Amino acid sequence: MKLGIVGLPNVGKSTLFNAITKAGAQAANYPFCTIEPNTGVVPVPDKRLDVLAEMYSPKKVTPATVEFVDIAGLVKGASKGEGLGNKFLSHIRECDAIVHVVRCFEDENIIHVDGSVDPARDIDVIQLELIFADLDTVQRRVDKAQKLVRNGDKKVAMEAELGARLQKHLEEGKPARTFSVSKDEKEVLDSWFLLTDKPVIYAANIAEDEVGEGAEELPFVKAVRTIADKEGSQVFVVSAQIEEEIANMEQEEKNEFLQELGIGESGLDRLIHASYRILGLISFLTAGADECRAWTIVNGTKAPQAAGKIHTDFERGFIRAEVVAFDDLNALGSMNACREKGLVRSEGKDYVMKDGDIVLFRFNV
């Protein structure tokens, strides 16, 4: 999973990136501090994996990972080459989802590129630039399809009609992710790699002294949530400065600090959970003396395809999956105990994987 962190200059984007990846990206109070995208890979927090490690004492423990990309601050006119323009847009195109950091705090010591704090306006600036870029892409697709449509190809005719409808939608200032399509049309749309078709998680970046109870009711945060609700996007409230502080704490100290703040878990944990939800992802686990590992799959994946995440031979020679639910294994303490209780199931090719399944795949190539 690859998430692109975007936002206007000086909204706390690189500070948040530093905090969640501890990668040390430069964060300074001027536009275009980030030129080449910084990349950080972080483990997905999963307490189930900790339990399995305690149970099996494996040689290694391998969590699922998320790759974060800190992309340069965007300005008006980026779609036409302003600021870092097309370079910025190309970095977004490579990501699975967008984390849009929105400034929701006042601070006279940190300049705002537009002179004042206005989350709705800031969101609109970035969204419009992505829409303009998508309009160029769609126009090229429509032009190409219209040239070929005279050959009588039904798929090309569908692309031309789809593109014309999408153009109108984008011209109304609406992102592609809010455009209604059929299953066949969705496949075509996915092949166009549109920027505004990517899922968005809005990170409402608030001041340190606003963290905790009542943060959701802050006027700037409510403005962000109103926009997110209209387009079916996720929102999480975070203080990039606080995240930067806790990034350097030991786990015990971090837990105490988070409890004092009344937020329970770090911004990184909440961001990853939001990412999984918006991308429709779940995790299954494998466990043994050699390795305990978490694997990320799309919700609805069947057993053979899940096996293929481990190795293509597993999918090609799939025989069956021996599955036990994590809660059952955790309650009984061992796989043998689960077998004695009849809780280890033998599943075939049509089995749809569930979050927290612990699996042993049987295969023959």
Side-chain angles (χ1 to χ4, degrees):
M1 180 163 61
K2 190 173 185 178
L3 303 177
I5 302 179
V6 306
L8 291 171
N10 301 339
V11 297
K13 186 173 51 62
S14 292
T15 302
L16 181 62
F17 173 83
N18 287 344
I20 61 181
T21 65
K22 298 183 184 177
Q26 188 181 19
N29 185 21
Y30 57 91
F32 307 123
C33 172
T34 309
I35 297 176
E36 289 301 324
N38 295 291
T39 300
V41 178
V42 300
V44 173
D46 193 332
K47 291 177 181 176
R48 298 171 301 193
L49 203 55
D50 298 335
V51 171
L52 292 178
E54 186 76 23
M55 196 179 291
Y56 283 90
S57 300
K59 293 174 185 173
K60 66 176 178 176
V61 177
T62 309
T65 58
V66 179
E67 183 178 353
F68 288 97
V69 183
D70 178 25
I71 297 168
L74 185 61
V75 293
K76 288 177 184 175
S79 59
K80 304 298 179 189
E82 292 295 323
L84 295 170
N86 294 329
K87 179 176 278 195
F88 172 95
L89 299 173
S90 70
H91 294 318
I92 298 177
R93 214 176 290 280
E94 297 166 5
C95 297
D96 298 308
I98 295 170
V99 179
H100 183 164
V101 183
V102 185
R103 180 169 167 176
C104 293
F105 65 90
E106 300 274 9
D107 188 335
E108 61 184 22
N109 296 315
I110 301 177
I111 59 173
H112 189 290
V113 71
D114 286 324
S116 62
V117 178
D118 183 341
R121 178 202 59 211
D122 293 355
I123 288 171
D124 201 42
V125 167
I126 288 192
Q127 183 137 289
L128 281 175
E129 290 307 320
L130 302 185
I131 285 172
F132 290 148
D134 280 351
L135 274 169
D136 286 343
T137 299
V138 173
Q139 183 64 63
R140 288 196 300 272
R141 292 284 184 172
V142 170
D143 290 346
K144 183 179 178 182
Q146 285 175 342
K147 288 175 185 175
L148 298 172
V149 79
R150 61 179 70 103
N151 297 334
D153 187 322
K154 288 185 179 178
K155 185 182 177 183
V156 170
M158 185 264 277
E159 284 195 25
E161 189 273 334
L162 173 66
R165 278 194 292 122
L166 179 55
Q167 265 185 304
K168 186 177 178 183
H169 180 86
L170 293 169
E171 284 166 355
E172 291 170 357
K174 300 172 185 175
R177 60 184 168 275
T178 64
F179 181 60
S180 296
V181 289
S182 67
K183 186 178 178 182
D184 289 343
E185 289 173 334
K186 178 74 173 111
E187 286 183 11
V188 172
L189 216 56
D190 287 346
S191 71
W192 293 358
F193 299 104
L194 299 174
L195 301 174
T196 64
D197 197 32
K198 294 182 182 297
V200 171
I201 301 162
Y202 291 104
N205 186 19
I206 61 174
E208 289 179 74
D209 58 4
E210 293 175 327
V211 170
E213 193 175 343
E216 291 286 345
E217 297 305 311
L218 295 168
F220 286 155
V221 172
K222 288 170 88 170
V224 174
R225 193 167 293 284
T226 298
I227 292 168
D229 288 347
K230 284 181 183 175
E231 59 181 54
S233 295
Q234 299 266 342
V235 178
F236 84 109
V237 181
V238 66
S239 166
Q241 288 293 339
I242 291 277
E243 292 301 316
E244 197 167 44
E245 286 177 38
I246 67 174
N248 298 310
M249 293 180 182
E250 294 299 325
Q251 190 61 49
E252 192 173 331
E253 184 186 6
K254 184 189 295 187
N255 292 341
E256 288 177 10
F257 186 57
L258 290 171
Q259 282 192 337
E260 284 175 21
L261 292 172
I263 55 178
E265 58 181 357
S266 71
L268 171 60
D269 290 0
R270 286 181 288 120
L271 174 54
I272 290 175
H273 294 153
S275 305
Y276 267 65
R277 285 195 301 273
I278 205 164
L279 289 169
L281 302 175
I282 61 172
S283 293
F284 73 89
L285 303 116
T286 53
D290 285 334
E291 183 181 32
C292 289
R293 182 164 180 167
W295 305 84
T296 302
I297 53 172
V298 175
N299 196 6
T301 299
K302 292 186 177 180
Q305 287 68 52
K309 291 285 285 186
I310 300 174
H311 198 286
T312 53
D313 283 351
F314 283 31
E315 181 176 359
R316 191 158 54 92
F318 180 87
I319 299 172
R320 68 181 185 277
E322 294 179 7
V323 184
V324 63
F326 170 79
D327 288 343
D328 290 335
L329 180 63
N330 190 32
L332 294 178
S334 74
M335 191 65 83
N336 285 338
C338 289
R339 288 186 197 281
E340 288 172 8
K341 293 282 188 181
L343 295 173
V344 179
R345 310 182 310 276
S346 182
E347 302 287 1
K349 292 182 177 180
D350 291 329
Y351 177 68
V352 177
M353 301 290 292
K354 295 180 177 61
D355 187 51
D357 276 348
I358 299 166
V359 194
L360 174 63
F361 292 109
R362 300 293 186 185
F363 73 103
N364 183 34
V365 178

